[in-house]
mmCIF file of all heavy atoms in Angstrom:
data_model
loop_
_atom_site.group_PDB
_atom_site.id
_atom_site.type_symbol
_atom_site.label_atom_id
_atom_site.label_comp_id
_atom_site.label_asym_id
_atom_site.label_seq_id
_atom_site.Cartn_x
_atom_site.Cartn_y
_atom_site.Cartn_z
ATOM 1 N N TYR Z 27 25.022 -40.813 10.757
ATOM 2 C CA TYR Z 27 23.761 -41.526 10.904
ATOM 3 C C TYR Z 27 23.607 -42.654 9.890
ATOM 4 O O TYR Z 27 22.654 -43.432 9.962
ATOM 5 C CB TYR Z 27 22.591 -40.544 10.795
ATOM 6 C CG TYR Z 27 22.746 -39.357 11.716
ATOM 7 C CD1 TYR Z 27 22.613 -38.045 11.245
ATOM 8 C CD2 TYR Z 27 23.070 -39.537 13.053
ATOM 9 C CE1 TYR Z 27 22.780 -36.958 12.087
ATOM 10 C CE2 TYR Z 27 23.243 -38.456 13.901
ATOM 11 C CZ TYR Z 27 23.099 -37.170 13.412
ATOM 12 O OH TYR Z 27 23.272 -36.090 14.249
ATOM 13 N N GLN Z 29 26.084 -44.922 9.479
ATOM 14 C CA GLN Z 29 26.868 -46.043 9.980
ATOM 15 C C GLN Z 29 26.158 -46.714 11.149
ATOM 16 O O GLN Z 29 25.599 -46.048 12.006
ATOM 17 C CB GLN Z 29 28.261 -45.572 10.406
ATOM 18 C CG GLN Z 29 29.114 -45.073 9.243
ATOM 19 C CD GLN Z 29 30.478 -44.603 9.697
ATOM 20 O OE1 GLN Z 29 30.594 -43.762 10.571
ATOM 21 N NE2 GLN Z 29 31.521 -45.159 9.082
ATOM 22 N N GLN Z 30 26.213 -48.041 11.154
ATOM 23 C CA GLN Z 30 25.658 -48.824 12.251
ATOM 24 C C GLN Z 30 26.707 -49.820 12.719
ATOM 25 O O GLN Z 30 27.434 -50.400 11.926
ATOM 26 C CB GLN Z 30 24.404 -49.597 11.818
ATOM 27 C CG GLN Z 30 23.206 -48.750 11.488
ATOM 28 C CD GLN Z 30 21.990 -49.605 11.228
ATOM 29 O OE1 GLN Z 30 21.726 -50.596 11.905
ATOM 30 N NE2 GLN Z 30 21.227 -49.245 10.214
ATOM 31 N N ASP Z 31 26.778 -49.993 14.022
ATOM 32 C CA ASP Z 31 27.678 -50.977 14.603
ATOM 33 C C ASP Z 31 26.900 -51.676 15.711
ATOM 34 O O ASP Z 31 26.760 -51.144 16.804
ATOM 35 C CB ASP Z 31 28.936 -50.303 15.150
ATOM 36 C CG ASP Z 31 29.988 -51.299 15.557
ATOM 37 O OD1 ASP Z 31 29.838 -52.488 15.237
ATOM 38 O OD2 ASP Z 31 30.975 -50.891 16.199
ATOM 39 N N ILE Z 32 26.356 -52.855 15.396
ATOM 40 C CA ILE Z 32 25.490 -53.543 16.350
ATOM 41 C C ILE Z 32 26.258 -53.846 17.632
ATOM 42 O O ILE Z 32 27.232 -54.591 17.635
ATOM 43 C CB ILE Z 32 24.932 -54.858 15.749
ATOM 44 C CG1 ILE Z 32 24.210 -54.585 14.426
ATOM 45 C CG2 ILE Z 32 23.992 -55.528 16.746
ATOM 46 C CD1 ILE Z 32 23.052 -53.642 14.539
ATOM 47 N N LEU Z 33 25.826 -53.224 18.727
ATOM 48 C CA LEU Z 33 26.481 -53.433 20.022
ATOM 49 C C LEU Z 33 25.698 -54.491 20.775
ATOM 50 O O LEU Z 33 25.045 -54.214 21.780
ATOM 51 C CB LEU Z 33 26.551 -52.117 20.791
ATOM 52 C CG LEU Z 33 27.121 -50.934 20.003
ATOM 53 C CD1 LEU Z 33 27.141 -49.682 20.857
ATOM 54 C CD2 LEU Z 33 28.523 -51.239 19.497
ATOM 55 N N GLN Z 56 20.261 -59.519 13.353
ATOM 56 C CA GLN Z 56 20.425 -58.175 12.814
ATOM 57 C C GLN Z 56 21.334 -58.174 11.589
ATOM 58 O O GLN Z 56 21.309 -57.245 10.795
ATOM 59 C CB GLN Z 56 20.994 -57.239 13.883
ATOM 60 C CG GLN Z 56 20.176 -57.145 15.153
ATOM 61 C CD GLN Z 56 18.847 -56.457 14.936
ATOM 62 O OE1 GLN Z 56 18.598 -55.892 13.869
ATOM 63 N NE2 GLN Z 56 17.975 -56.509 15.927
ATOM 64 N N PHE Z 99 22.748 -50.305 28.448
ATOM 65 C CA PHE Z 99 21.817 -51.435 28.303
ATOM 66 C C PHE Z 99 21.586 -51.555 26.802
ATOM 67 O O PHE Z 99 20.823 -50.800 26.228
ATOM 68 C CB PHE Z 99 20.527 -51.121 29.055
ATOM 69 C CG PHE Z 99 19.409 -52.089 28.793
ATOM 70 C CD1 PHE Z 99 19.440 -53.366 29.310
ATOM 71 C CD2 PHE Z 99 18.326 -51.715 28.023
ATOM 72 C CE1 PHE Z 99 18.405 -54.258 29.074
ATOM 73 C CE2 PHE Z 99 17.290 -52.596 27.771
ATOM 74 C CZ PHE Z 99 17.330 -53.864 28.301
ATOM 75 N N ASN Z 100 22.309 -52.469 26.156
ATOM 76 C CA ASN Z 100 22.381 -52.371 24.699
ATOM 77 C C ASN Z 100 21.730 -53.507 23.930
ATOM 78 O O ASN Z 100 21.815 -53.530 22.703
ATOM 79 C CB ASN Z 100 23.841 -52.223 24.249
ATOM 80 C CG ASN Z 100 24.707 -53.394 24.650
ATOM 81 O OD1 ASN Z 100 24.319 -54.182 25.497
ATOM 82 N ND2 ASN Z 100 25.874 -53.520 24.058
ATOM 83 N N ALA Z 125 13.253 -57.823 19.109
ATOM 84 C CA ALA Z 125 14.564 -57.471 19.645
ATOM 85 C C ALA Z 125 14.798 -55.973 19.627
ATOM 86 O O ALA Z 125 14.266 -55.250 18.775
ATOM 87 C CB ALA Z 125 15.665 -58.164 18.854
ATOM 88 N N TYR Z 126 15.597 -55.537 20.581
ATOM 89 C CA TYR Z 126 16.153 -54.182 20.593
ATOM 90 C C TYR Z 126 17.669 -54.308 20.583
ATOM 91 O O TYR Z 126 18.247 -55.092 21.358
ATOM 92 C CB TYR Z 126 15.716 -53.392 21.823
ATOM 93 C CG TYR Z 126 16.640 -52.216 22.116
ATOM 94 C CD1 TYR Z 126 16.581 -51.070 21.344
ATOM 95 C CD2 TYR Z 126 17.595 -52.286 23.136
ATOM 96 C CE1 TYR Z 126 17.448 -50.006 21.580
ATOM 97 C CE2 TYR Z 126 18.462 -51.233 23.381
ATOM 98 C CZ TYR Z 126 18.389 -50.094 22.603
ATOM 99 O OH TYR Z 126 19.244 -49.045 22.838
ATOM 100 N N ASP Z 127 18.338 -53.543 19.706
ATOM 101 C CA ASP Z 127 19.794 -53.490 19.671
ATOM 102 C C ASP Z 127 20.250 -52.049 19.553
ATOM 103 O O ASP Z 127 19.724 -51.296 18.726
ATOM 104 C CB ASP Z 127 20.352 -54.293 18.495
ATOM 105 C CG ASP Z 127 20.575 -55.751 18.835
ATOM 106 O OD1 ASP Z 127 21.623 -56.056 19.414
ATOM 107 O OD2 ASP Z 127 19.697 -56.570 18.517
ATOM 108 N N GLN Z 128 21.230 -51.681 20.359
ATOM 109 C CA GLN Z 128 21.870 -50.378 20.209
ATOM 110 C C GLN Z 128 22.770 -50.427 18.990
ATOM 111 O O GLN Z 128 23.535 -51.374 18.798
ATOM 112 C CB GLN Z 128 22.688 -50.052 21.459
ATOM 113 C CG GLN Z 128 23.295 -48.669 21.454
ATOM 114 C CD GLN Z 128 24.080 -48.405 22.724
ATOM 115 O OE1 GLN Z 128 23.959 -49.137 23.705
ATOM 116 N NE2 GLN Z 128 24.894 -47.360 22.711
ATOM 117 N N THR Z 129 22.686 -49.415 18.147
ATOM 118 C CA THR Z 129 23.476 -49.402 16.916
ATOM 119 C C THR Z 129 24.612 -48.389 16.942
ATOM 120 O O THR Z 129 25.471 -48.412 16.066
ATOM 121 C CB THR Z 129 22.580 -49.112 15.702
ATOM 122 O OG1 THR Z 129 21.919 -47.847 15.890
ATOM 123 C CG2 THR Z 129 21.526 -50.203 15.534
ATOM 124 N N ALA Z 130 24.625 -47.494 17.905
ATOM 125 C CA ALA Z 130 25.726 -46.539 18.027
ATOM 126 C C ALA Z 130 25.752 -45.986 19.436
ATOM 127 O O ALA Z 130 24.707 -45.685 20.025
ATOM 128 C CB ALA Z 130 25.598 -45.403 17.021
ATOM 129 N N ASN Z 131 26.948 -45.854 19.970
ATOM 130 C CA ASN Z 131 27.162 -45.189 21.249
ATOM 131 C C ASN Z 131 27.721 -43.810 20.951
ATOM 132 O O ASN Z 131 28.847 -43.664 20.469
ATOM 133 C CB ASN Z 131 28.134 -46.005 22.107
ATOM 134 C CG ASN Z 131 28.454 -45.316 23.417
ATOM 135 O OD1 ASN Z 131 27.746 -44.407 23.850
ATOM 136 N ND2 ASN Z 131 29.536 -45.737 24.060
ATOM 137 N N ASN Z 132 26.935 -42.775 21.204
ATOM 138 C CA ASN Z 132 27.335 -41.417 20.846
ATOM 139 C C ASN Z 132 28.112 -40.695 21.935
ATOM 140 O O ASN Z 132 28.415 -39.504 21.792
ATOM 141 C CB ASN Z 132 26.102 -40.594 20.473
ATOM 142 C CG ASN Z 132 25.437 -41.095 19.205
ATOM 143 O OD1 ASN Z 132 26.109 -41.579 18.299
ATOM 144 N ND2 ASN Z 132 24.113 -40.993 19.141
ATOM 145 N N GLY Z 229 24.399 -39.491 24.036
ATOM 146 C CA GLY Z 229 23.258 -40.079 23.347
ATOM 147 C C GLY Z 229 23.571 -41.441 22.766
ATOM 148 O O GLY Z 229 24.685 -41.967 22.892
ATOM 149 N N LEU Z 230 22.576 -42.023 22.115
ATOM 150 C CA LEU Z 230 22.742 -43.321 21.468
ATOM 151 C C LEU Z 230 21.726 -43.466 20.343
ATOM 152 O O LEU Z 230 20.692 -42.801 20.319
ATOM 153 C CB LEU Z 230 22.606 -44.468 22.475
ATOM 154 C CG LEU Z 230 21.284 -44.606 23.254
ATOM 155 C CD1 LEU Z 230 20.261 -45.462 22.502
ATOM 156 C CD2 LEU Z 230 21.530 -45.231 24.621
ATOM 157 N N ASN Z 231 22.060 -44.351 19.397
ATOM 158 C CA ASN Z 231 21.150 -44.739 18.321
ATOM 159 C C ASN Z 231 20.807 -46.209 18.498
ATOM 160 O O ASN Z 231 21.621 -46.999 18.994
ATOM 161 C CB ASN Z 231 21.789 -44.535 16.947
ATOM 162 C CG ASN Z 231 22.262 -43.126 16.721
ATOM 163 O OD1 ASN Z 231 21.867 -42.200 17.429
ATOM 164 N ND2 ASN Z 231 23.126 -42.940 15.739
ATOM 165 N N GLY Z 232 19.629 -46.600 18.073
ATOM 166 C CA GLY Z 232 19.234 -47.992 18.212
ATOM 167 C C GLY Z 232 18.104 -48.347 17.275
ATOM 168 O O GLY Z 232 17.600 -47.503 16.524
ATOM 169 N N LYS Z 233 17.725 -49.634 17.317
ATOM 170 C CA LYS Z 233 16.597 -50.057 16.493
ATOM 171 C C LYS Z 233 15.834 -51.185 17.167
ATOM 172 O O LYS Z 233 16.384 -51.996 17.916
ATOM 173 C CB LYS Z 233 17.060 -50.485 15.107
ATOM 174 C CG LYS Z 233 17.929 -51.723 15.027
ATOM 175 C CD LYS Z 233 18.256 -52.031 13.565
ATOM 176 C CE LYS Z 233 19.152 -53.244 13.407
ATOM 177 N NZ LYS Z 233 19.441 -53.529 11.986
ATOM 178 N N PHE Z 234 14.533 -51.197 16.896
ATOM 179 C CA PHE Z 234 13.632 -52.254 17.346
ATOM 180 C C PHE Z 234 13.272 -53.108 16.132
ATOM 181 O O PHE Z 234 12.956 -52.576 15.070
ATOM 182 C CB PHE Z 234 12.371 -51.665 17.976
ATOM 183 C CG PHE Z 234 12.644 -50.828 19.194
ATOM 184 C CD1 PHE Z 234 12.863 -49.458 19.082
ATOM 185 C CD2 PHE Z 234 12.700 -51.411 20.446
ATOM 186 C CE1 PHE Z 234 13.115 -48.688 20.194
ATOM 187 C CE2 PHE Z 234 12.946 -50.647 21.583
ATOM 188 C CZ PHE Z 234 13.162 -49.281 21.458
ATOM 189 N N THR Z 235 13.314 -54.407 16.314
ATOM 190 C CA THR Z 235 13.166 -55.319 15.187
ATOM 191 C C THR Z 235 12.038 -56.307 15.413
ATOM 192 O O THR Z 235 11.934 -56.927 16.487
ATOM 193 C CB THR Z 235 14.471 -56.099 14.953
ATOM 194 O OG1 THR Z 235 15.499 -55.167 14.628
ATOM 195 C CG2 THR Z 235 14.327 -57.100 13.821
ATOM 196 N N ASN Z 253 12.447 -53.056 10.715
ATOM 197 C CA ASN Z 253 13.184 -52.336 11.754
ATOM 198 C C ASN Z 253 12.674 -50.912 11.929
ATOM 199 O O ASN Z 253 12.417 -50.212 10.953
ATOM 200 C CB ASN Z 253 14.675 -52.263 11.407
ATOM 201 C CG ASN Z 253 15.283 -53.620 11.130
ATOM 202 O OD1 ASN Z 253 15.195 -54.525 11.948
ATOM 203 N ND2 ASN Z 253 15.913 -53.763 9.969
ATOM 204 N N SER Z 254 12.552 -50.508 13.169
ATOM 205 C CA SER Z 254 12.241 -49.121 13.514
ATOM 206 C C SER Z 254 13.470 -48.524 14.205
ATOM 207 O O SER Z 254 13.924 -49.036 15.232
ATOM 208 C CB SER Z 254 11.030 -49.060 14.445
ATOM 209 O OG SER Z 254 10.788 -47.734 14.874
ATOM 210 N N HIS Z 255 14.017 -47.441 13.632
ATOM 211 C CA HIS Z 255 15.264 -46.856 14.115
ATOM 212 C C HIS Z 255 14.999 -45.545 14.854
ATOM 213 O O HIS Z 255 14.022 -44.852 14.580
ATOM 214 C CB HIS Z 255 16.199 -46.556 12.948
ATOM 215 C CG HIS Z 255 16.582 -47.750 12.130
ATOM 216 N ND1 HIS Z 255 17.837 -48.318 12.177
ATOM 217 C CD2 HIS Z 255 15.879 -48.478 11.214
ATOM 218 C CE1 HIS Z 255 17.898 -49.344 11.349
ATOM 219 N NE2 HIS Z 255 16.719 -49.461 10.753
ATOM 220 N N PHE Z 256 15.923 -45.194 15.755
ATOM 221 C CA PHE Z 256 15.873 -43.879 16.382
ATOM 222 C C PHE Z 256 17.280 -43.330 16.532
ATOM 223 O O PHE Z 256 18.266 -44.060 16.622
ATOM 224 C CB PHE Z 256 15.164 -43.929 17.740
ATOM 225 C CG PHE Z 256 15.909 -44.682 18.812
ATOM 226 C CD1 PHE Z 256 16.843 -44.048 19.613
ATOM 227 C CD2 PHE Z 256 15.667 -46.033 19.014
ATOM 228 C CE1 PHE Z 256 17.530 -44.739 20.605
ATOM 229 C CE2 PHE Z 256 16.344 -46.732 20.004
ATOM 230 C CZ PHE Z 256 17.280 -46.077 20.806
ATOM 231 N N ILE Z 257 17.369 -41.989 16.541
ATOM 232 C CA ILE Z 257 18.620 -41.252 16.718
ATOM 233 C C ILE Z 257 18.461 -40.314 17.903
ATOM 234 O O ILE Z 257 17.456 -39.612 18.023
ATOM 235 C CB ILE Z 257 18.972 -40.428 15.462
ATOM 236 C CG1 ILE Z 257 19.298 -41.338 14.280
ATOM 237 C CG2 ILE Z 257 20.136 -39.479 15.730
ATOM 238 C CD1 ILE Z 257 19.436 -40.578 12.964
ATOM 239 N N ASN Z 258 19.470 -40.295 18.760
ATOM 240 C CA ASN Z 258 19.515 -39.348 19.872
ATOM 241 C C ASN Z 258 20.964 -38.907 20.032
ATOM 242 O O ASN Z 258 21.789 -39.659 20.554
ATOM 243 C CB ASN Z 258 18.990 -40.009 21.151
ATOM 244 C CG ASN Z 258 18.880 -39.030 22.304
ATOM 245 O OD1 ASN Z 258 19.349 -37.906 22.222
ATOM 246 N ND2 ASN Z 258 18.263 -39.466 23.382
ATOM 247 N N TYR Z 259 21.285 -37.709 19.574
ATOM 248 C CA TYR Z 259 22.667 -37.240 19.540
ATOM 249 C C TYR Z 259 22.721 -35.791 20.010
ATOM 250 O O TYR Z 259 22.001 -34.935 19.485
ATOM 251 C CB TYR Z 259 23.215 -37.345 18.111
ATOM 252 C CG TYR Z 259 24.600 -36.800 17.912
ATOM 253 C CD1 TYR Z 259 25.721 -37.504 18.327
ATOM 254 C CD2 TYR Z 259 24.793 -35.562 17.289
ATOM 255 C CE1 TYR Z 259 27.002 -36.997 18.129
ATOM 256 C CE2 TYR Z 259 26.067 -35.049 17.079
ATOM 257 C CZ TYR Z 259 27.168 -35.773 17.507
ATOM 258 O OH TYR Z 259 28.427 -35.271 17.307
ATOM 259 N N GLY Z 289 15.804 -38.227 15.707
ATOM 260 C CA GLY Z 289 15.288 -38.728 14.443
ATOM 261 C C GLY Z 289 14.682 -40.109 14.586
ATOM 262 O O GLY Z 289 14.910 -40.824 15.565
ATOM 263 N N GLY Z 290 13.909 -40.480 13.604
ATOM 264 C CA GLY Z 290 13.308 -41.805 13.543
ATOM 265 C C GLY Z 290 13.280 -42.284 12.108
ATOM 266 O O GLY Z 290 13.234 -41.471 11.173
ATOM 267 N N GLY Z 291 13.347 -43.598 11.934
ATOM 268 C CA GLY Z 291 13.358 -44.142 10.578
ATOM 269 C C GLY Z 291 12.937 -45.593 10.541
ATOM 270 O O GLY Z 291 12.616 -46.190 11.576
ATOM 271 N N PHE Z 292 12.954 -46.150 9.344
ATOM 272 C CA PHE Z 292 12.582 -47.557 9.189
ATOM 273 C C PHE Z 292 13.431 -48.180 8.091
ATOM 274 O O PHE Z 292 13.947 -47.507 7.187
ATOM 275 C CB PHE Z 292 11.089 -47.705 8.862
ATOM 276 C CG PHE Z 292 10.701 -47.159 7.514
ATOM 277 C CD1 PHE Z 292 10.667 -47.967 6.394
ATOM 278 C CD2 PHE Z 292 10.364 -45.816 7.367
ATOM 279 C CE1 PHE Z 292 10.315 -47.465 5.148
ATOM 280 C CE2 PHE Z 292 10.005 -45.294 6.128
ATOM 281 C CZ PHE Z 292 9.986 -46.123 5.018
ATOM 282 N N SER Z 293 13.588 -49.492 8.176
ATOM 283 C CA SER Z 293 14.302 -50.260 7.158
ATOM 284 C C SER Z 293 13.776 -51.686 7.170
ATOM 285 O O SER Z 293 12.997 -52.076 8.047
ATOM 286 C CB SER Z 293 15.819 -50.253 7.418
ATOM 287 O OG SER Z 293 16.124 -50.984 8.596
ATOM 288 N N THR Z 316 17.986 -47.157 5.136
ATOM 289 C CA THR Z 316 17.145 -46.657 6.225
ATOM 290 C C THR Z 316 16.670 -45.271 5.829
ATOM 291 O O THR Z 316 17.467 -44.415 5.437
ATOM 292 C CB THR Z 316 17.920 -46.596 7.545
ATOM 293 O OG1 THR Z 316 18.402 -47.903 7.874
ATOM 294 C CG2 THR Z 316 17.024 -46.101 8.666
ATOM 295 N N TYR Z 318 15.254 -41.988 7.195
ATOM 296 C CA TYR Z 318 15.128 -41.236 8.442
ATOM 297 C C TYR Z 318 14.402 -39.916 8.217
ATOM 298 O O TYR Z 318 14.517 -39.292 7.157
ATOM 299 C CB TYR Z 318 16.512 -40.880 9.002
ATOM 300 C CG TYR Z 318 17.233 -41.979 9.718
ATOM 301 C CD1 TYR Z 318 18.385 -42.541 9.172
ATOM 302 C CD2 TYR Z 318 16.811 -42.436 10.969
ATOM 303 C CE1 TYR Z 318 19.089 -43.533 9.845
ATOM 304 C CE2 TYR Z 318 17.510 -43.424 11.641
ATOM 305 C CZ TYR Z 318 18.646 -43.968 11.079
ATOM 306 O OH TYR Z 318 19.342 -44.947 11.732
#
Side-chain angles (χ1 to χ4, degrees):
Y27 309 129
Q29 294 179 306
Q30 293 186 41
D31 189 11
I32 305 300
L33 310 180
Q56 303 292 351
F99 170 72
N100 61 344
Y126 159 75
D127 272 277
Q128 185 179 346
T129 58
N131 177 17
N132 294 327
L230 60 88
N231 304 343
K233 66 178 179 179
F234 298 91
T235 298
N253 306 305
S254 175
H255 300 253
F256 68 88
I257 293 171
N258 186 350
Y259 176 77
F292 67 93
S293 68
T316 301
Y318 281 112

